[in-house]
Amino acid sequence: MFKKLYLMLALATAFACHAAPAKVNYKHAGPNDLQPDEQQSVVLKYVYTLISDYNYKKVPLNDSVSAIIYDRYIKKLDENHNYLLASDLKEFEQFKTTFDDDIKAGNLANVFYIFNVFQKRYTEYVNFSIAQLGKSFDFSQNETYTYNRDKLPWAASETALHNVWAQRVKYDLLNLKLTGKELAANKETLKKRYTNILSQSNKLSNQDVFQAFMDSFTEAIDPHTNYFNPSNAANFNIDMSRSLEGIGASLLMENEFVTIKSVTPGGPADKSKLVNADDRIIAVAQGKTGEFQDVVGWRIDNAIALIRGPKGTTVRLQLLAKGVSPTAKPRVIELVREKIILKDISAKKETRTYMQNGKAVKIGVISIPAFYLDFADYKAGNPNYKSTTRDVKLILDTLKRENVDGVVIDLRQNGGGSLMEAVELTGLFIKTGPVVQVRDSRNQVEVNKDDDPAIAYSGPLAVLVDRFSASASEIFSGAIQDYGRGLILGTQTYGKGSVQNAIDLDKVITPSLKDKLLAVAGKTKIVATGSQNKFGQLNLTIAKFYRINGNSTQHKGVLPDVDFPSIIPLDKYGEDTEPSAMPFDVIEKSDYTAVGNFTTVLPQLKKLHEDRMAASQSYKYLLQDIEESKKQSGEKSVTLNEQKLKQERDADEQKAFEHNNLRRLALGLQPLKKGQVKPKKEDTDFLQKEAGQVLTDYLTLGSKLTTVKPAGTN
């Protein structure tokens, strides 16, 4: 699919003569006085050029777009109006129509000035909160704390926000008090919490500011054109490939220490027998002779960047075991990095059995969390590369050996991923033919086809989707629907009908310019940091995809054949809620032949489903949950009166406990006693169960209702 995007040569030419940008006098306002660097200025201009020249959606960067970027940036910093003052916003107004010029010039001074003012306010109010803990509190007063302030005017004075934060502290204390602990202990708990918040704020770097602004810039143009700084780019690519290169351990920050929380079975850390859960990493060194870098107090993402790295390379760690004094001598271990496959977030299977007319019907369910592909392994010709299609094919082979009567593909919460995987996965269920059409910015249409006549599974099929099924999920479910190959069940999907190309900026920015940037930073050569690049990645929208029937999924998504209620609010999430989203449109249909048609059987399937839901207590409770969620999302304040809040909490807790047990009974599960922990492997997925039941209904009605008649017959 658009296998050659001619960006590199054009950009290399465009920037070949550009030296590092001139320095500007940055203003200082915040406690850390964060400043942009020359590299970020260059990246900003490169990203602007890429978007203006190659983005599918052509949007001129002008004053009106500048205002949108400004509004998004302010919202990203202080959406709930908790920190900035009306006077701050009045001062910032001067930048509202200058961001377009700043972006073109690579000028980040105004962006950082706004952030530094914000961080100054942030620090002031957290310190104010810590100071409040020295005061006494009366929890018998009829006060109210308004926690949802996004629709309220900006505070007119520091005093006004001090009142808000005083109420916030009181609410936090009241929450802890209702757990039964003493006031002194609660104050100490909050002091640690606020101090930790302040510590995390002080660890923010200019990369965080740059990322926040770049998000505001790119999303103002198009919701799915995104810039990722180096650490975010690494995480994005790990998510796409479902693999990483490192030591095989999950890490968390605890009390300023990078702490190992779990060890991946079979990974380098596990095989060494020298690494244990709760070990603290004190320092990291590259190779057998590299110098150790102390990582105590580091941000977790920066520490991870040092620990990850290309497979086959060596990393050394200084470790302290749990409970050992920080002043003790750490032990030093040496590990060789390997490729780690993230199996827990790959496609999985289960089987469900339904009784229909006295006969057992076995349905296989395959849950697919994303359309992942280890592109590096695929490109290198590794026959065992990790991919959705390869994993699902193995699962289908297993399900066929288990003699399942039908298969449900569960794509709920699947936000998409690899376009190639969407096409190849569809190919497991059809003989050959087009799967998706892709139109580029020149209005040229390319049809992506399945050319492999092999079919991995030819039996009855259903696809379960929800509002968060997007992009590649919509390509797959749309093709399955257009071919009449399977039933689509659930709710209207997200509506993301655009195609992105991942551009490694390290491969775009000219070598000479890289050297100049590193010289400014006091370096002489590019040194790889773990598995990260140096300049980040741009996911650029280059095309729009269409179903083989000619309809775009953009805005409208895929509509199910049988509707299920949506737990996810359709009016709050989805492409049609994004102001900068592209519109729905239609192109000519592809040349394809449907293999089935559910038109005749759908009315019967819908009626059976609706009759079952009308008699289902689980369905009734699901609708109640949806209504309760809507009610809670509309609440904006809470009482600070201890007696009233306790009564409300107790009533809510009792109601939730009773309703949970009623739901369990409706699902055939034993009710729980108060305080009893729910068993881990319980089947509480009512919607997935109903999807299997709809497919079972179809099986009992007979496939004759969906057979496509040969051409020329009546």
Side-chain angles (χ1 to χ4, degrees):
M1 204 302 302
F2 300 111
K3 299 174 181 64
K4 292 183 179 179
L5 187 64
Y6 298 103
L7 295 176
M8 308 307 176
L9 181 60
L11 283 167
T13 302
F15 283 92
C17 300
H18 285 204
K23 291 184 178 181
V24 295
N25 293 319
Y26 295 113
K27 304 170 185 176
H28 303 290
N32 297 327
D33 290 330
L34 292 177
Q35 300 180 37
D37 55 40
E38 303 284 1
Q39 176 173 310
Q40 290 165 343
S41 176
V42 169
V43 168
L44 177 60
K45 290 197 288 185
Y46 265 86
V47 169
Y48 161 68
T49 300
L50 283 164
I51 290 175
S52 61
D53 290 351
Y54 300 102
N55 201 58
Y56 180 86
K57 184 183 177 187
K58 299 300 182 185
V59 178
L61 189 55
N62 52 28
D63 285 358
S64 64
V65 175
S66 177
I68 296 171
I69 297 170
Y70 168 85
D71 288 340
R72 282 181 173 269
Y73 184 53
I74 296 297
K75 184 177 182 180
K76 200 170 289 288
L77 295 181
D78 191 10
E79 180 175 7
N80 208 37
H81 297 191
N82 283 328
Y83 305 99
L84 295 171
L85 301 173
S87 57
D88 296 328
L89 272 296
K90 185 175 181 181
E91 180 192 7
F92 297 160
E93 282 287 323
Q94 62 182 304
F95 308 130
K96 194 161 190 173
T97 57
T98 64
F99 275 170
D100 55 328
D101 301 317
D102 290 343
I103 289 169
K104 294 170 185 176
N107 175 24
L108 289 158
N110 298 329
V111 169
F112 273 72
Y113 177 70
I114 291 173
F115 179 85
N116 284 329
V117 171
F118 160 75
Q119 192 174 37
K120 178 183 179 182
R121 299 292 184 200
Y122 186 98
T123 302
E124 287 173 355
Y125 294 121
V126 176
N127 280 325
F128 171 82
S129 299
I130 294 172
Q132 285 291 108
L133 294 172
K135 298 184 177 181
S136 59
F137 295 85
D138 182 358
F139 296 111
S140 64
Q141 296 178 339
N142 289 320
E143 292 180 284
T144 299
Y145 167 52
T146 301
Y147 56 84
N148 191 334
R149 296 174 41 82
D150 63 329
K151 304 298 183 188
L152 295 179
W154 297 94
S157 66
E158 290 185 6
T159 301
L161 274 186
H162 281 163
N163 291 335
V164 171
W165 280 92
Q167 289 184 321
R168 165 67 183 269
V169 173
K170 189 172 184 178
Y171 174 68
D172 287 345
L173 275 176
L174 181 53
N175 262 330
L176 293 173
K177 191 172 190 291
L178 291 179
T179 66
K181 294 181 180 179
E182 295 296 323
L183 181 62
N186 293 337
K187 286 187 173 184
E188 187 60 31
T189 297
L190 276 190
K191 184 177 181 180
K192 288 180 181 178
R193 182 189 300 175
Y194 295 157
T195 302
N196 183 57
I197 289 172
L198 204 56
S199 172
Q200 293 305 310
S201 173
N202 288 331
K203 289 176 183 175
L204 291 174
S205 69
N206 67 355
Q207 280 282 37
D208 298 298
V209 185
F210 187 57
Q211 183 68 69
F213 179 70
M214 292 301 281
D215 288 344
S216 306
F217 165 35
T218 59
E219 291 167 8
I221 305 298
D222 161 31
H224 307 293
T225 288
N226 302 112
Y227 168 78
F228 298 121
N229 66 28
S231 63
N232 289 340
N235 291 331
F236 173 84
N237 291 316
I238 286 169
D239 189 56
M240 278 293 292
S241 66
R242 289 302 190 262
S243 66
L244 60 86
E245 294 179 349
I247 65 170
S250 62
L251 308 175
L252 285 177
M253 180 63 71
E254 290 186 351
N255 299 320
E256 301 297 306
F257 287 99
V258 178
T259 306
I260 294 172
K261 298 312 297 178
S262 65
V263 176
T264 305
D270 177 49
K271 288 188 288 188
S272 74
K273 307 300 180 186
L274 299 172
V275 181
N276 304 300
D278 295 322
D279 280 352
R280 291 163 291 171
I281 300 174
I282 306 301
V284 181
Q286 306 299 323
K288 293 180 177 292
T289 60
E291 185 177 340
F292 274 101
Q293 287 185 262
D294 189 295
V295 296
V296 176
W298 276 35
R299 285 170 42 139
I300 189 70
D301 54 342
N302 291 336
I304 288 173
L306 285 182
I307 296 166
R308 286 179 188 157
K311 64 181 178 180
T313 59
T314 298
V315 63
R316 287 178 295 132
L317 308 175
Q318 290 182 359
L319 299 178
L320 286 178
K322 181 181 180 181
V324 173
S325 169
T327 60
K329 182 180 179 180
R331 68 183 190 276
V332 177
I333 68 165
E334 182 179 297
L335 300 171
V336 177
R337 300 175 176 107
E338 295 178 8
K339 186 158 207 165
I340 310 297
I341 303 299
L342 305 177
K343 294 180 180 179
D344 288 344
I345 46 178
S346 301
K348 292 182 174 66
K349 79 169 182 74
E350 60 180 296
T351 56
R352 292 178 176 272
T353 301
Y354 300 83
M355 296 305 298
Q356 197 86 344
N357 299 327
K359 179 185 176 183
V361 178
K362 188 187 287 187
I363 302 294
V365 180
I366 305 176
S367 298
I368 303 176
F371 286 80
Y372 48 88
L373 170 66
D374 189 335
F375 189 73
D377 262 14
Y378 169 77
K379 192 175 180 181
N382 183 347
N384 297 315
Y385 67 92
K386 180 75 172 173
S387 83
T388 298
T389 304
R390 287 170 52 83
D391 288 350
V392 171
K393 187 177 186 304
L394 291 173
I395 291 172
L396 287 170
D397 291 342
T398 302
L399 291 175
K400 286 191 292 185
R401 288 194 296 270
E402 294 175 2
N403 296 313
V404 297
D405 298 293
V407 169
V408 173
I409 302 292
D410 190 344
L411 296 181
R412 290 175 299 168
Q413 309 285 314
N414 184 325
S418 167
L419 176 63
M420 186 177 89
E421 283 302 302
V423 174
E424 295 204 352
L425 186 70
T426 306
L428 297 182
F429 302 96
I430 63 172
K431 191 172 182 180
T432 57
V435 174
V436 63
Q437 304 184 87
V438 184
R439 183 171 71 178
D440 66 14
S441 58
R442 298 166 296 174
N443 289 324
Q444 294 183 350
V445 177
E446 180 178 334
V447 180
N448 284 226
K449 300 179 179 180
D450 166 45
D451 295 319
D452 185 354
I455 299 177
Y457 176 74
S458 59
L461 178 69
V463 182
L464 179 58
V465 295
D466 68 6
R467 187 59 159 174
F468 287 154
S469 302
S471 194
S473 289
E474 295 172 299
I475 291 173
F476 174 79
S477 55
I480 293 297
Q481 189 176 57
D482 291 341
Y483 274 106
R485 178 61 188 85
L487 292 159
I488 308 301
L489 314 174
T491 62
Q492 180 185 18
T493 60
Y494 193 88
K496 179 187 176 292
S498 56
V499 182
Q500 282 71 45
N501 187 62
I503 302 170
D504 182 348
L505 294 181
D506 282 25
K507 297 178 180 178
V508 173
I509 296 175
T510 60
S512 60
L513 186 50
K514 290 180 189 177
D515 292 341
K516 289 178 182 177
L517 289 172
L518 291 171
V520 169
K523 299 178 181 179
T524 58
K525 62 179 180 178
I526 294 178
V527 180
T529 304
S531 57
Q532 294 181 183
N533 65 6
K534 296 293 293 182
F535 296 95
Q537 174 176 305
L538 177 66
N539 283 12
L540 185 70
T541 297
I542 59 167
K544 195 172 180 181
F545 67 75
Y546 296 80
R547 292 170 59 159
I548 54 177
N549 67 6
N551 288 338
S552 171
T553 59
Q554 181 66 21
H555 253 258
K556 291 190 177 182
V558 176
L559 300 177
D561 298 311
V562 179
D563 282 301
F564 288 5
S566 180
I567 300 171
I568 304 161
L570 300 183
D571 60 336
K572 291 187 177 180
Y573 301 97
E575 192 79 1
D576 54 5
T577 68
E578 293 283 353
S580 60
M582 293 184 289
F584 169 85
D585 62 343
V586 178
I587 63 173
E588 290 186 15
K589 62 177 289 189
S590 293
D591 183 14
Y592 72 99
T593 302
V595 298
N597 188 327
F598 293 96
T599 303
T600 307
V601 74
L602 275 179
Q604 297 173 69
L605 289 177
K606 289 178 180 178
K607 186 175 188 308
L608 287 169
H609 165 68
E610 290 165 0
D611 289 348
R612 192 163 45 247
M613 294 302 95
S616 169
Q617 286 298 312
S618 291
Y619 182 73
K620 172 186 172 184
Y621 298 139
L622 180 62
L623 294 180
Q624 288 178 356
D625 288 344
I626 293 171
E627 285 304 310
E628 184 65 24
S629 177
K630 288 180 181 178
K631 178 184 174 184
Q632 290 178 357
S633 67
E635 294 176 353
K636 298 181 181 297
S637 59
V638 62
T639 180
L640 294 177
N641 181 286
E642 181 180 0
Q643 184 178 1
K644 288 182 179 179
L645 185 59
K646 187 177 187 308
Q647 288 174 347
E648 290 176 7
R649 292 278 175 85
D650 289 346
D652 288 344
E653 185 179 328
Q654 182 62 27
K655 181 180 176 182
F657 174 74
E658 292 173 355
H659 280 203
N660 183 54
N661 274 338
L662 288 172
R663 293 185 190 91
R664 294 178 63 81
L665 288 169
L667 291 167
L669 301 171
Q670 289 295 316
L672 298 174
K673 296 178 182 179
K674 281 201 172 179
Q676 183 181 353
V677 179
K678 182 182 76 171
K680 285 186 177 180
K681 294 186 178 180
E682 282 190 329
D683 185 5
T684 58
D685 194 338
F686 167 67
L687 292 178
Q688 190 184 88
K689 182 178 180 181
E690 176 60 17
Q693 184 63 64
V694 172
L695 187 56
T696 300
D697 291 342
Y698 164 69
L699 286 166
T700 61
L701 291 174
S703 59
K704 62 183 180 180
L705 294 171
T706 62
T707 302
V708 175
K709 295 180 180 180
T713 62
N714 295 318

